Each structure stands twice: as structure tokens, then as C-alpha cells.
Amino acid sequence: MGGFGSGRQGSLPVIENGLKLDLRRMRKQGQFIPDVSFAGGRLVWSDTHSGAQVANIGFSFCSSGDHPWFRVQYTTTQRASEPQKIDEKFNLERFSQPYGGYRWNFICPQSSKRAQCLYLPPGATRFRSRHGFRVPLQYRSQCEDTTSRHITQMHKVTYKVLDAGKPEWREKYRAWDFPPKPPGMHWRTYNRLEERYDYYDAASAAAIAECILRFG
């Protein structure tokens, strides 16, 4: 795993240009299971446009007992001429929800804060929370103009629909501006996402038109 993401020299690291460990997403996809003594697998990141694999890491975890943990193992070429092997274990913490169940969090080894997500931005070698780096992380929307922010939101809605489908279905409709309803998704959910997409589409068109009128 190396060379992932890019950015302007001297700019703050952008979260979307790196990798993210998301416990909530892993639970939804069945990759993280509560109350098991040991389990593991591999996490794979792919380019949202081409579908090509960008990075992959091995992971294992223990989600039972008094000291649950999550371990990652991968190789990176960031900040080194030779590949560097990373093997790191994070403590996990769970706390009860008002209506039952638990919410799981990583404990960031740098900041000691709870976080549902850990990030590996471009140039970094280890996953940390947003507060675990020497420089602040920013979202892409924080450094975009109005039109770009609307287009980014359109892409996010599209990817949310694509992620709900199986791999072969995603590959079939990856090039669509807005894909059809994936099998298994409720029409109510799909219609809500389509409305959001149409809203940002209209907003971006309006912003472009305003820019054209302003600058002739």
C-alpha cells in the first residue's frame, strides 16, 4: 500500500484523499462482529471511477471480554525508500445505546480520544483519529467553491446508491450519473436519495449560471 492520494504541496491533508477505518460501516457490511473472541479479513479500497484497487490491508479483532482490540497489518512506502511493514493494535471501547445495543469506538493511540473512524491521509504511515495528527485534517468540501461542493455531494449520493448493490451490479452501473435502484434497497430510500441528487444537480447548475452572468 503506497502512493495513495495526492494534494497541492503545502496544503492541509484532505480526508477523502486518504484511507479510512470506519467501524460503523464495517458492522453494516458484516466485517466487524460484536462478541467474538477472534476474527479478521482484508479491507480493500477501490477507485470510485475506474473500480481499480487502490489499497488493501489485513485486519483482525477481538470484540469480547474486558479488553477488546482491533489490529491492522499492511505495507507502506510513504516517507521511506524501502517498503515499511506496519503492525499496530488499537484498543476498542463500547458503550450502551439508549434503545439497546452498543456503539463501538477506537481509542486513538495518539490523542487517547474515542473515534468511530481512523484516518490515513496522504503522507502518513499510521491510522489515527482526526485529532491524532500534528496538522489538522480537513474535508474536501472545506477547500472547494460552491459549485464543486454541490458536485461533490452529487457524487456522494451516487456512491451511496452504488454501495448498496452487489459488486457485479456496481460494475454495470458505475459509469451512470445516477444508477437505478439496486436490488434490496427500499423505494422510499432510493427516492429520497434521488431527490437529494436532483437538488444538488439543480444547485450546481444555478451556481454555474450565476458565475457565467457575473463574469460575462
Side-chain angles (χ1 to χ4, degrees):
M1 185 188 72
F4 181 79
S6 60
R8 292 177 299 175
Q9 190 69 23
S11 62
L12 294 176
V14 176
I15 286 175
E16 290 89 346
N17 287 348
L19 307 180
K20 179 172 72 170
L21 293 175
D22 188 338
L23 277 178
R24 184 170 56 182
R25 182 181 178 88
M26 291 181 67
R27 285 195 66 178
K28 288 183 177 180
Q29 296 181 341
Q31 295 172 305
F32 179 80
I33 307 168
D35 302 318
V36 297
S37 58
F38 182 85
R42 298 201 71 81
L43 291 172
V44 178
W45 287 266
S46 301
D47 184 271
T48 51
H49 297 290
S50 66
Q53 180 176 306
V54 173
N56 73 87
I57 68 172
F59 73 94
S60 56
F61 61 89
C62 169
S63 57
S64 64
D66 297 329
H67 304 286
W69 50 265
F70 190 98
R71 181 185 184 187
V72 292
Q73 295 173 293
Y74 55 92
T75 302
T76 178
T77 56
Q78 299 280 8
R79 297 185 178 181
S81 57
E82 297 294 329
Q84 180 182 3
K85 292 187 176 182
I86 304 295
D87 186 340
E88 188 166 23
K89 185 182 289 186
F90 307 101
N91 292 326
L92 295 177
E93 183 179 286
R94 65 179 182 179
F95 55 95
S96 303
Q97 295 295 285
Y99 300 102
Y102 295 91
R103 175 179 292 179
W104 287 87
N105 286 283
F106 297 106
I107 302 298
C108 175
Q110 188 67 31
S111 67
S112 299
K113 293 184 177 181
R114 295 193 300 258
Q116 281 196 305
C117 299
L118 297 179
Y119 303 95
L120 184 69
T125 59
R126 295 177 182 272
F127 285 90
R128 294 292 185 264
S129 69
R130 286 190 67 191
H131 304 283
F133 296 95
R134 286 179 293 179
V135 295
L137 303 186
Q138 64 179 356
Y139 291 99
R140 186 177 293 126
S141 59
Q142 294 176 259
C143 53
E144 292 178 332
D145 57 30
T146 302
T147 303
S148 299
R149 284 198 295 270
H150 292 321
I151 293 174
T152 297
Q153 291 300 322
M154 289 168 59
H155 290 163
K156 285 184 177 180
V157 175
T158 298
Y159 300 150
K160 195 165 187 176
V161 177
L162 285 172
D163 284 346
K166 294 183 178 180
E168 59 272 14
W169 185 92
R170 290 199 298 268
E171 189 62 33
K172 181 178 180 180
Y173 295 107
R174 188 179 300 277
W176 286 43
D177 290 337
F178 189 77
K181 186 183 79 66
M185 176 179 280
H186 295 299
W187 274 108
R188 182 177 179 180
T189 302
Y190 179 77
N191 291 336
R192 186 181 71 250
L193 292 173
E194 187 174 29
E195 288 177 1
R196 287 177 58 190
Y197 179 91
D198 291 342
Y199 169 81
Y200 290 118
D201 189 17
S204 65
I208 292 173
E210 181 182 354
C211 184
I212 292 173
L213 290 173
R214 182 181 304 170
F215 297 104

